[in-house]
Amino acid sequence: MKNLDRIEGRKAMGLPFTPDLSVKPKVIGFFDEATNTISYVVKDPGSDACAVIDTVMDIDYAAGRLTFDSADRIIKLIEEQGLKIEWIIETHVHADHLSAAPYIQERLGGRMGIGENITIVQDTFGKIFNEGTEFQRDGSQFDRLFGDGDSYRVGTMTVHVMHTPGHTPACMTHVAGDAAFVGDTLFMPDGGSARADFPGGDARMLYRSIRRVLELPDETRLFMCHDYGPNGRDIRWETTVKDEREHNIHARDGIGEDDFVEMREGRDATLAMPRLIIPSLQVNMRGGRLPEKDKDGKTFLKVPINEL
């Protein structure tokens, strides 16, 4: 009864659903060393259905060459284990790697989903990259746009969606039973939190989103989108709400909003732009697709000068 009271209390404090910790999906992580990104295959414990979260398309930026080794690893596992992919999820529009969602969808099926505020991101960066009117800014590149409190099914499992902006306006946390996929809202406890200085980012909003995630039950497993091995430790991507609340260097219990904002804004002012931000944004705001070919059948990415 005490645990139920705690869950109901947290629901009243801002969670748009009641977590079901009895559902324990199998989670398989794939680490991409070039971008420090972790992609996930999330299997429904009651069937062979699965979802794939935050995929990576490989790029040799200097050569302008795209390959799909990272995505092929995921495809191979799904095929070998006889899984059926139902959803391909982006937790947000990534600025540090390119999405392979269309490549995987073409080979295995599934529906592509992202937060409904993708339209804000598309409008912002459509202007920065001087995209023409042919670039649709309505999120139509995706099969579904999620709002706060929405849900979807992966086999027998219900996945709940929380809007957790701050890093970007479209950031969403996906909660499947006892597992939550937080995108860039949080890092491992010794990594803290992601930057909030991209166009549309907001450190105060990020703090509130983090605290909302940390209202999930203590036992909830949290899965990161990135890890950089702080202080030379091995790469890790799974922790718990309890561990984050007790040990997160930026947002543990007891750190107030104003202190967080001061820290985050000061830290962000020292950070360089991500190495792949220019190709990543142009591709990811299109749902992982490249810009339209020109009249000669060639594809190009733009470099905006003094805009980012």
Side-chain angles (χ1 to χ4, degrees), residues 30-45:
F30 294 81
F31 180 68
D32 179 66
E33 187 173 0
T35 63
N36 288 82
T37 302
I38 303 96
S39 305
Y40 296 99
V41 173
V42 185
K43 180 188 176 298
D44 170 33

Side-chain angles (χ1 to χ4, degrees), residues 41-237:
V41 173
V42 185
K43 180 188 176 298
D44 170 33
S47 72
D48 290 328
C50 72
V52 176
I53 298 177
D54 290 336
T55 62
V56 175
M57 176 167 57
D58 308 299
I59 182 171
D60 181 340
Y61 194 21
R65 185 169 294 112
L66 300 174
T67 54
F68 296 94
D69 292 346
S70 295
D72 285 338
R73 287 195 297 155
I74 293 174
I75 291 171
K76 180 180 179 183
L77 177 123
I78 290 173
E79 291 178 337
E80 287 180 346
Q81 296 196 5
L83 304 181
K84 178 186 177 184
I85 186 169
E86 296 192 347
W87 285 95
I88 305 169
I89 298 297
E90 302 289 349
T91 56
H92 62 292
V93 175
H94 309 278
D96 44 27
H97 71 272
L98 285 66
S99 169
Y103 177 82
I104 292 177
Q105 185 181 50
E106 182 180 326
R107 283 151 185 79
L108 298 179
R111 300 177 68 195
M112 290 170 50
I114 197 169
E116 62 186 0
N117 281 355
I118 177 63
T119 57
I120 297 175
V121 176
Q122 288 174 329
D123 185 59
T124 298
F125 289 104
K127 294 173 182 175
I128 288 174
F129 289 104
N130 194 28
E131 300 292 347
T133 56
E134 67 274 9
F135 172 55
Q136 299 298 310
R137 295 162 168 83
D138 58 1
S140 57
Q141 299 86 348
F142 298 84
D143 298 308
R144 182 168 174 189
L145 306 183
F146 298 111
D148 186 55
D150 282 353
S151 64
Y152 57 97
R153 302 278 289 182
V154 177
T156 66
M157 176 174 63
T158 299
V159 183
H160 298 280
V161 186
M162 298 167 57
H163 187 210
T164 48
H167 175 62
T168 80
C171 288
M172 309 293 283
T173 292
H174 293 253
V175 183
D178 74 337
F181 301 85
V182 300
D184 285 6
T185 301
L186 273 169
F187 290 161
M188 294 294 291
D190 59 350
S193 60
R195 65 196 300 165
D197 62 331
F198 295 149
D202 184 283
R204 194 167 298 278
M205 194 175 294
L206 178 61
Y207 178 85
R208 295 173 185 177
S209 292
I210 289 171
R211 297 312 307 178
R212 193 180 193 208
V213 170
L214 298 184
E215 291 301 333
L216 289 164
D218 288 348
E219 307 94 318
T220 305
R221 295 180 288 159
L222 299 181
F223 292 91
M224 312 293 112
C225 185
H226 296 287
D227 188 64
Y228 301 93
N231 301 312
R233 68 153 168 76
D234 291 341
I235 298 296
R236 296 171 51 213
W237 53 75

Side-chain angles (χ1 to χ4, degrees), residues 124-130 197-200 273 277-278 281 302-308:
T124 298
F125 289 104
K127 294 173 182 175
I128 288 174
F129 289 104
N130 194 28
D197 62 331
F198 295 149
M273 284 289 107
I277 188 170
I278 287 175
L281 290 174
K302 300 174 182 177
V303 179
I305 305 301
N306 297 328
E307 291 292 330
L308 291 172

Side-chain angles (χ1 to χ4, degrees), residues 268-293:
D268 289 349
T270 71
L271 300 177
M273 284 289 107
R275 179 176 63 89
L276 296 178
I277 188 170
I278 287 175
S280 295
L281 290 174
Q282 291 177 79
V283 169
N284 295 339
M285 69 181 183
R286 291 177 164 87
R289 299 174 182 88
L290 298 174
E292 293 293 327
K293 294 180 179 179

